[in-house]
Amino acid sequence: QKEVEQDPGPLSVPEGAIVSLNCTYSNSAFQYFMWYRQYSRKGPELLMYTYSSGNKEDGRFTAQVDKSSKYISLFIRDSQPSDSATYLCAMSGGATNKLIFGTGTLLAVQP
Amino acid sequence: DTGVSQNPRHKITKRGQNVTFRCDPISEHNRLYWYRQTLGQGPEFLTYFQNEAQLEKSRLLSDRFSAERPKGSFSTLEIQRTEQGDSAMYLCASSPGAQDEQYFGPGTRLTVT
């Protein structure tokens, strides 16, 4: 079993829809949780960075962390075609702070 | 632009050749990480530096791989005697400190023929 599980999709939604992306994890030592966006053949771009449980909002993006359920989510409101990309969840804990990634979810927003 | 930069962006090499990649982190970022990403997968940790010290290496980093960060600035990742299984995107990330967010470069795509 992988430490971080993420549905690879693809996920196709119409423009303007609310998108929900999720990851589950097994390592209770994880304390820092991130969402990255990656366009094809590009490096990952940091979208959200959260510590421990709770919600964080930034523009159209909301990140939620539920440590009791070992479950994290990213919500995208008013989705745009430019949001079409692969979304990677990542998490870390401990002195190394190395990131453990999910496989990524491929999102397509249809105009 | 003051983001993480990587060179070259794409490298094609024949099996058995040596290759070297370079990463320039964001200025004054103490931590530098190397990851490898294959198609359809998330990045996997390879190694990291705190300033010039290499503090951890993944079991993915075989003896053919070596990384350096002289003077705690840029870093190089060398792969000796490349194999077709080394074909991947090699990503570099930097962060200001131990528990801070990591910012990625554009990656170096390696193709071993």
Side-chain angles (χ1 to χ4, degrees):
Chain A
Q1 183 186 4
K2 291 184 177 181
E3 281 189 281
V4 179
E5 298 281 354
Q6 184 175 12
D7 187 338
L11 179 62
S12 182
V13 300
E15 183 175 355
I18 297 174
V19 176
S20 173
L21 303 166
N22 311 292
C23 288
T24 59
Y25 63 95
S26 57
N27 189 343
S28 57
F30 289 144
Q31 298 181 67
Y32 300 91
F33 304 90
M34 288 131 276
W35 286 94
Y36 286 86
R37 178 174 63 195
Q38 187 174 31
Y39 293 110
S40 181
R41 297 181 177 269
K42 304 291 185 184
E45 171 193 3
L46 182 65
L47 288 176
M48 301 291 281
Y49 180 81
T50 55
Y51 171 71
S52 198
S53 287
N55 293 357
K56 182 176 182 179
E57 186 174 324
D58 185 359
R60 297 185 296 113
F61 299 94
T62 299
Q64 289 185 351
V65 175
D66 182 348
K67 289 191 71 178
S68 63
S69 301
K70 295 188 177 65
Y71 188 86
I72 70 171
S73 301
L74 177 71
F75 297 95
I76 307 174
R77 290 182 298 281
D78 187 25
S79 56
Q80 302 295 311
S82 59
D83 293 328
S84 298
T86 295
Y87 289 79
L88 295 156
C89 64
M91 43 203 80
S92 66
T96 302
N97 206 34
K98 62 185 177 185
L99 299 181
I100 308 299
F101 282 87
T103 54
T105 298
L106 180 61
L107 172 67
V109 181
Q110 306 298 332
Chain B
D1 182 76
T2 57
V4 178
S5 62
Q6 292 187 246
N7 287 288
R9 295 292 307 277
H10 194 185
K11 178 72 176 178
I12 301 173
T13 190
K14 292 184 177 180
R15 184 165 52 93
Q17 297 295 306
N18 299 343
V19 294
T20 300
F21 311 141
R22 176 177 170 129
C23 170
D24 287 89
I26 295 171
S27 179
E28 299 183 355
H29 276 196
N30 294 324
R31 288 215 169 187
L32 187 149
Y33 299 80
W34 285 99
Y35 294 83
R36 181 172 69 186
Q37 185 178 25
T38 53
L39 197 63
Q41 301 298 316
E44 293 179 290
F45 169 79
L46 291 178
T47 188
Y48 90 98
F49 292 84
Q50 172 78 32
N51 298 312
E52 67 276 8
Q54 186 175 15
L55 298 184
E56 184 172 333
K57 294 192 290 187
S58 162
R59 58 178 174 77
L60 294 175
L61 215 64
S62 75
D63 291 344
R64 297 184 296 106
F65 288 71
S66 62
E68 295 181 340
R69 193 184 181 195
K71 303 179 182 178
S73 55
F74 70 92
S75 177
T76 58
L77 178 68
E78 181 184 17
I79 309 175
Q80 296 182 327
R81 304 180 304 281
T82 53
E83 302 173 355
Q84 286 190 322
D86 297 331
S87 296
M89 173 82 94
Y90 289 84
L91 293 161
C92 175
S94 71
S95 69
Q99 306 302 339
D100 297 316
E101 53 267 45
Q102 295 181 29
Y103 297 92
F104 281 82
T108 294
R109 180 170 298 279
L110 173 65
T111 303
V112 182
T113 62

